[in-house]
Amino acid sequence: MTTARAIRMAFQALEQAEGAGARVRRSIGTPKLRNFSPFLMLDHFTIGKGAGFPDHPHRGQETITYLLSGGVDHEDFAGNRGTIGPGDLQFMTAGKGIMHAEMPHENEDGSPNVGMQLWVDLPKELKAVDPRYRDLRSTEIPVADVDEGRVSIKVISGQSHGVDSVRDLAYTPLWFFDISIKPGGRVKQILPLGWNAFAYTLEGTTHFVTDNGDTKPINQFHNVVFQQSGDHIEAYVPDNAEQESRFILVAGQPLNQEVVQYGPFVCTSKEEVYQAMLDFQSAKNGFERSFGWQSEIGKRMNQF
């Protein structure tokens, strides 16, 4: 017998300033939800003209950027450069250290660039790996159609209704889905036992079924955090709803380790954080190439 996961909490992600002129709705990495292993931070970002995330470092984590609209360029001190567009993802492993910039396109129609960025902790034994990038294009993402086409699931990572994702893109085990439900549609999504999981609602109102059979309607821009017990989540949109709903569903394997974070440095002790700050300031132990480095895309900030 399968059991739906109960909802531990659900709350609205409030908009705030971040970076250089960007706006984000942060729902993980706030006083309301911290140390939700392996997840460190979740931002629903909006970046317009003259805004962005110029040159900055990272150590000890992975970032997953999922672009919903517009375009974002990235560049790092190792010479890696690229662009992701609507529906694309970028998986970046900071490992022992990286310095990079993430800057938006200037869209012809003046629209902002919108997406999600998730920070994921690295297992302690992998925090000193070399940094790397992996891009996943929207055309590479398989789709599972469920409930006679009333539900569409983009299988970014993991398994859904007989459809497997293309490849594992993160060191830390996680499943990642983008789910759209039309009025009258219903879906059950199996999740690995014992993994932490959440849903972030992008559009419409989604009704989640809890472990006792009750339902809870969740509106746009909310994070729904599920209990670990149970093997699936169940969601639907009523027949009489005026619009379909859309949410991302993410589950990750908890890491049995301390999290000590100072900004972009994610370690397992205060001593490691102090060392990360010293390494970055002195350009050593992974940050050698940061000395004197400036990204080309970061210079756009000076044009506005």
Side-chain angles (χ1 to χ4, degrees), residues 43 60 92 99 151 168 171 183 225:
D43 280 352
M92 184 201 76
M99 189 172 181
V151 179
D168 291 327
Y171 279 117
V225 182

Side-chain angles (χ1 to χ4, degrees), residues 43-258:
D43 280 352
H44 182 187
F45 63 80
T46 300
I47 316 173
K49 181 178 179 180
F53 302 96
D55 305 357
H56 60 280
H58 289 277
R59 172 180 277 183
Q61 83 270 46
E62 297 186 284
T63 64
I64 302 171
T65 304
Y66 183 26
L67 198 62
L68 303 175
S69 64
V72 172
D73 298 326
H74 66 88
E75 179 184 351
D76 70 25
F77 66 9
N80 299 307
R81 303 185 69 167
T83 300
I84 57 173
D88 295 344
L89 292 98
Q90 180 191 89
F91 291 71
M92 184 201 76
T93 301
K96 63 184 179 182
I98 197 167
M99 189 172 181
H100 75 154
E102 300 158 292
M103 300 298 294
H105 282 183
E106 184 177 340
N107 301 317
E108 292 183 1
D109 61 0
S111 61
N113 304 276
V114 181
M116 307 294 301
Q117 186 168 89
L118 175 67
W119 288 19
V120 182
D121 198 11
L122 275 171
K124 184 174 182 178
E125 63 272 17
L126 295 176
K127 285 186 177 289
V129 298
D130 290 332
R132 68 176 186 176
Y133 284 95
R134 287 87 63 224
D135 289 344
L136 180 66
R137 301 300 174 185
S138 60
T139 54
E140 299 179 276
I141 301 172
V143 177
D145 289 320
V146 181
D147 195 13
E148 299 180 340
R150 288 186 287 264
V151 179
S152 177
I153 305 172
K154 294 182 180 179
V155 187
I156 294 166
S157 179
Q159 302 172 335
S160 179
H161 297 83
V163 176
D164 292 341
S165 59
V166 175
R167 49 187 168 163
D168 291 327
L169 295 162
Y171 279 117
T172 301
L174 62 85
W175 285 14
F176 192 127
F177 309 102
D178 182 341
I179 301 176
S180 296
I181 307 177
K182 296 178 181 178
R186 180 181 290 261
V187 64
K188 286 185 178 181
Q189 175 58 52
I190 299 296
L191 297 175
L193 294 174
W195 285 21
N196 281 326
F198 68 88
Y200 181 83
T201 53
L202 291 168
E203 299 173 12
T205 299
T206 305
H207 293 247
F208 290 95
V209 180
T210 64
D211 57 336
N212 60 7
D214 292 338
T215 64
K216 187 175 182 65
I218 304 294
N219 294 326
Q220 186 182 35
F221 305 145
H222 281 67
N223 194 317
V224 183
V225 182
F226 299 99
Q227 298 283 11
Q228 279 189 343
S229 59
D231 57 11
H232 71 273
I233 67 99
E234 183 174 354
Y236 71 94
V237 174
D239 291 323
N240 60 355
E242 295 182 356
Q243 68 177 109
E244 68 178 47
S245 78
R246 182 184 180 190
F247 61 94
I248 63 167
L249 175 64
V250 185
Q253 185 177 56
L255 302 176
N256 184 24
Q257 62 188 37
E258 292 293 323

